[in-house]
């Protein structure tokens, strides 16, 4: 890449939050090594045993309550503030670490832990406490219809129209801390390439989709992301 692209789309996954103390999913000690995703992260699992699903997300909501953004989240916020073009962060993560670091142009494509959704009336609201089947929706009064506002397997991720539009107009696509196994996010690199973008993977190790990227840098997010951001800001300064 010799010139600074006018628009950048950045996809992030669990690996960017790992050094803040948030578990990833598919590493050997990751969440899906301990819990069956079909039981806690599918609409069918919720219909079968909502109390089990609430217990899982209550535990995760509590776990992310104390965590803080790390140098990688902070670098992306710095990029947004200092870059002369558009910078959009699309995260698969349901934690609030990008927002806490100061990123503003942000899409939570898999929803957010600290928000709930009513399956009956579609009401959404912020939620910091434990959730249970006994709690009634404040909007429609239905009991048992409240769920975490996170996207489960088999459901359509949020804001796909806005994401597709951004990918089709970007000159640089960066994927950070994701294993590249979950679609549609795993297909964003191909969409960006079709749009003519330069594509870069920043991950601890080669992801499943590494061969789709023009460039790959491997290491810990807190080391490689700030360096990459510095090089982009340098390029933009000319
Ligand atoms: P994964 O757990 O699948 O992948 C995390 C990636 O981060 C792996 O490739 C790790 O090598 C890398 N990684 C770990 N520590 C890192 C570090 N310190 N620095 C840089 N990289 C590091 O998580 P995701 O790809 O985010 O969806 O998973 C995608 C989706 O699958 C999640 O949003 C979630 C999950 O099931 C749903 O629940 C719908």
């Amino acid at each position: 890449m010799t010139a600074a692209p006018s628009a950048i789309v950045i996809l992030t996954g669990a690996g960017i939050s790992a050094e803040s103390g948030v578990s990833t999913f598919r590493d050997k000690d990751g969440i899906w090594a301990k819990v069956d995703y079909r039981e806690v992260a599918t609409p069918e699992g919720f219909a079968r045993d909502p109390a089990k699903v609430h217990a899982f997300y209550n535990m995760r909501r509590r776990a992310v309550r104390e965590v803080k953004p790390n140098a990688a989240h902070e670098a992306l916020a710095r990029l947004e503030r200092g870059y002369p073009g558009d910078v959009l962060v699309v995260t698969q993560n349901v934690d609030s670490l990008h927002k806490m670091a100061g990123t503003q142009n942000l899409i939570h494509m898999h929803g957010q832990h600290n928000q709930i959704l009513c399956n009956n009336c579609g009401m959404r609201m912020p939620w910091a406490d434990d959730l249970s089947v006994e709690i009634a929706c404040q909007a429609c009064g239905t009991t048992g219809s409240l769920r975490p506002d996170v996207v489960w397997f088999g459901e359509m991720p949020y804001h796909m129209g806005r994401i597709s539009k951004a990918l089709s107009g970007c000159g640089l696509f960066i994927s950070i801390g994701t294993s590249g196994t979950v679609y549609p996010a795993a297909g964003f690199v191909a969409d960006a390439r079709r749009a003519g973008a330069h594509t870069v993977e920043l991950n601890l190790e080669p992801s499943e989709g590494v061969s789709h990227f023009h460039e790959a840098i491997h290491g810990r997010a807190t080391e490689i992301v700030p360096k990459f951001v510095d090089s982009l800001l340098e390029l933009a300064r000319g």
Side-chain angles (χ1 to χ4, degrees), residues 13-15 25-27 92 175-182 186 201 203 205-210:
F25 294 96
R26 293 174 186 79
D27 289 310
Q92 298 169 89
S175 172
I176 304 174
T178 175
S179 56
T181 48
V182 176
E201 165 169 296
N203 204 48
E205 59 201 6
S207 75
E208 251 180 51
V210 67

Side-chain angles (χ1 to χ4, degrees), residues 17-221:
S17 297
E19 290 166 77
S20 290
V22 182
S23 298
T24 59
F25 294 96
R26 293 174 186 79
D27 289 310
K28 68 176 184 316
D29 54 350
I31 292 170
W32 298 151
K34 298 172 191 148
V35 185
D36 184 341
Y37 79 89
R38 289 166 298 194
E39 291 179 8
V40 297
T42 61
E44 296 77 18
F46 186 60
R48 258 193 315 270
D49 193 346
K52 182 172 197 163
V53 174
H54 285 315
F56 174 71
Y57 285 97
N58 289 342
M59 183 257 298
R60 293 212 63 209
R61 201 178 294 111
R62 278 185 237 129
V64 296
R65 205 172 283 159
E66 307 298 325
V67 298
K68 301 253 181 323
N70 63 46
H73 300 101
E74 281 157 8
L76 296 186
R78 185 157 55 82
L79 179 66
E80 183 186 72
R81 283 195 302 273
Y83 198 73
D86 291 338
V87 177
L88 171 67
V89 175
V90 178
T91 188
Q92 298 169 89
N93 299 342
V94 293
D95 63 49
S96 303
L97 295 176
H98 284 301
K99 205 184 271 177
M100 285 168 73
T103 290
Q104 293 188 8
N105 198 17
L106 173 67
I107 293 178
H108 275 276
M109 66 176 290
H110 288 168
Q112 299 177 65
H113 264 324
N114 55 8
Q115 207 162 280
I116 56 170
L117 165 68
C118 174
N119 263 341
N120 185 53
C121 71
M123 182 272 325
R124 284 194 159 85
M125 65 180 283
W127 194 266
D129 304 320
D130 284 359
L131 189 57
S132 75
V133 281
E134 289 82 30
I135 298 173
C137 171
Q138 290 180 16
C140 69
T142 308
T143 301
S145 60
L146 294 175
R147 57 171 280 184
D149 189 11
V150 300
V151 174
W152 287 326
F153 289 95
E155 296 183 322
M156 181 57 82
Y158 297 152
H159 309 295
M160 283 308 297
R162 218 181 123 200
I163 296 169
S164 299
K165 192 160 175 251
L167 287 168
S168 67
C170 74
L172 174 63
F173 172 75
I174 311 167
S175 172
I176 304 174
T178 175
S179 56
T181 48
V182 176
Y183 284 82
F188 290 173
V189 59
D191 297 337
R193 281 190 82 129
R194 266 194 298 279
H198 183 71
T199 57
V200 183
E201 165 169 296
L202 303 178
N203 204 48
L204 189 60
E205 59 201 6
S207 75
E208 251 180 51
V210 67
S211 61
H212 301 301
F213 291 85
H214 294 102
E215 191 183 341
I217 300 169
H218 296 127
R220 289 147 58 102

